[in-house]
Amino acid sequence: MAQDSTQSLQQAFKQLPPMVLGAPEAMQVFFMDVQAWRGLEKTGPSPEGLRRLAFAPFIRPLESLGYGLDPWSLNAKVSFDDVSYFAGFGQAPANISYWGLKDKQAVAKLVADLKQGDFAAVDGDVPGLIANGAAGAMDMKKGNPKDPWRGMMGKTSFVLPRDTALIQASSAADMKRLAQPAPSVADNEIVAAAVAGLKEGVPADRGRIVQAVVISPVIGLAAIDPAKVLLASGADINTAKQNLQAAAEANGRGIPPYFGGIIADAQIDNLPAVVVSLSYADCATAKQAVDGIGAAWKESMAAAVEAKISGRTVEAGKLCAAVVNLTSPKAENAGNPILAQVMNRYMRRELTLLQIGTPR
């Protein structure tokens, strides 16, 4: 039996507090599976392989990756290949990063090795917290672009071991809350439905998720107050549905309003792919979204990059996921041309693929 393709992703989600899903951001959580990415190139990352890491700039320890895996590992005090995943959320300098390791013993060893360097225990009400300086401080003399704990500006890192992961932040401010993330992002029904969709879109025996990002409806709405459409834990789905519907009617053409979802960068049958999984209240609406994303791709993106499109709906608890695979017809290198195009459109605020509106 092949391992579930979403296993590492779900391990990361279990570490994350639900408050991140209430952030008024289009992209709320970033994830990278180290083992899946390293599996693309046995001899070490090529420029194309590094460029594929579209979410790396949003995860602090990955900012140092471009200088080579060996210098990174030396400064990190752990081999890059011994990390299972990285995840992160929030805006710099207050962004929070997670280092997923093999087991609790690996976490304890890394903490001990950091204390051999310039990390020391932090007094306060968060047991196990260590830091290499004062909160929010920068020490240019200690700056090292190859060091994931310091970076070019010599920024302080606060580090907290939690289960099989380490949490990295620039201050102790949220560490108490981060140490107790129950319920977690994994328990959110909107995220869980999107994950169920990804399991179908990325078959474990033929594919792996390399990176993923949790998205909110904000990504598909041009001019809307995020607070009206975001579902933090405990919010009412029916109210959110009504608000989303009203926003869609004012937004022009698009796909039906979704509660949230995941965009995954995957390698399926040795071909680069992007898999979109959006959470809906029912499968009839999700089917409209599958058709709408396919139409939007042909209309706005097919001329820029070639992709084979397939889609399906997946029942998930009370919700239903709209799942669309965009697969490259060939793999010329370790890059993902479809992901590059999606991120390019997102950065230019032209991602019509996921635009919420009245059906096309």
Side-chain angles (χ1 to χ4, degrees):
M1 181 75 183
Q3 107 171 7
D4 172 359
S5 67
T6 66
Q7 193 172 33
S8 290
L9 185 63
Q10 292 194 78
Q11 280 176 350
F13 286 166
K14 281 175 187 159
Q15 297 289 347
L16 299 165
M19 66 179 184
V20 308
L21 301 174
E25 310 291 344
M27 294 188 168
Q28 295 175 311
V29 176
F30 301 93
F31 165 85
M32 176 212 176
D33 185 321
V34 173
Q35 303 307 316
W37 180 66
R38 291 291 284 123
L40 297 173
E41 299 178 286
K42 298 290 180 269
T43 53
S46 64
E48 291 82 14
L50 282 165
R51 273 196 293 273
R52 181 169 181 157
L53 296 180
F55 307 138
F58 305 99
I59 303 175
R60 183 175 161 187
L62 296 179
E63 291 171 10
S64 306
L65 208 51
Y67 296 91
L69 299 189
D70 289 343
W72 189 98
S73 301
L74 186 69
N75 288 288
K77 304 274 196 281
V78 63
S79 168
F80 187 77
D81 289 344
D82 287 343
V83 183
S84 56
Y85 68 80
F86 288 100
F89 67 89
Q91 301 283 333
N95 49 335
I96 312 289
S97 304
Y98 291 75
W99 302 48
L101 298 176
K102 195 168 52 190
D103 50 36
K104 290 181 181 178
Q105 287 79 7
V107 169
K109 183 181 185 311
L110 179 49
V111 168
D113 289 344
L114 290 174
K115 284 179 170 173
Q116 294 288 314
D118 59 357
F119 277 84
V122 175
D123 291 334
D125 54 359
V126 184
L129 185 62
I130 60 173
N132 59 2
M138 286 192 250
D139 184 344
M140 296 296 280
K141 290 200 221 62
K142 291 182 179 172
N144 177 0
K146 300 170 186 176
D147 184 347
W149 302 113
R150 283 283 182 193
M152 194 178 292
M153 309 300 285
K155 290 190 285 192
T156 295
S157 281
F158 281 73
V159 174
L160 182 69
R162 190 191 173 274
D163 196 25
T164 58
L166 280 178
I167 306 172
Q168 178 184 12
S170 55
S171 77
D174 278 321
M175 282 299 193
K176 196 166 187 181
R177 198 161 29 157
L178 297 174
Q180 313 281 337
S184 68
V185 164
D187 300 310
N188 179 280
E189 62 181 323
I190 292 162
V191 172
V195 168
L198 280 187
K199 277 187 203 177
E200 298 284 325
V202 187
D205 55 343
R206 298 188 288 111
R208 289 198 77 172
I209 294 167
V210 180
Q211 304 169 89
V213 59
V214 176
I215 59 168
S216 78
V218 175
I219 200 169
L221 292 164
I224 184 72
D225 174 10
K228 285 187 177 167
V229 296
L230 285 179
L231 265 180
S233 54
D236 173 40
I237 276 203
N238 290 324
T239 307
K241 193 176 171 185
Q242 288 162 10
N243 291 340
L244 277 165
Q245 203 61 55
E249 283 158 17
N251 210 44
R253 289 200 314 157
I255 61 172
Y258 41 90
F259 295 129
I262 297 172
I263 301 172
D265 161 30
Q267 197 79 358
I268 305 172
D269 291 327
N270 296 318
L271 297 170
V274 167
V275 183
V276 177
S277 182
L278 303 177
S279 298
Y280 281 94
D282 59 79
C283 284
T285 316
K287 176 69 172 74
Q288 282 185 300
V290 170
D291 296 341
I293 291 172
W297 176 271
K298 287 172 186 154
E299 196 178 287
S300 65
M301 300 190 57
V305 61
E306 210 180 334
K308 179 179 169 234
I309 305 171
S310 61
R312 68 203 65 78
T313 61
V314 177
E315 280 191 56
K318 294 180 197 160
L319 302 180
C320 186
V323 186
V324 176
N325 284 40
L326 303 157
T327 309
S328 188
K330 55 188 182 293
E332 294 178 342
N333 51 48
N336 186 339
I338 298 170
L339 178 69
Q341 194 60 229
V342 167
M343 288 303 288
N344 181 28
R345 295 294 172 94
Y346 168 71
M347 293 302 195
R348 284 165 30 197
R349 297 179 185 273
E350 293 172 5
L351 190 57
T352 53
L353 196 65
L354 300 178
Q355 183 171 312
I356 289 172
T358 47
R360 293 170 181 277

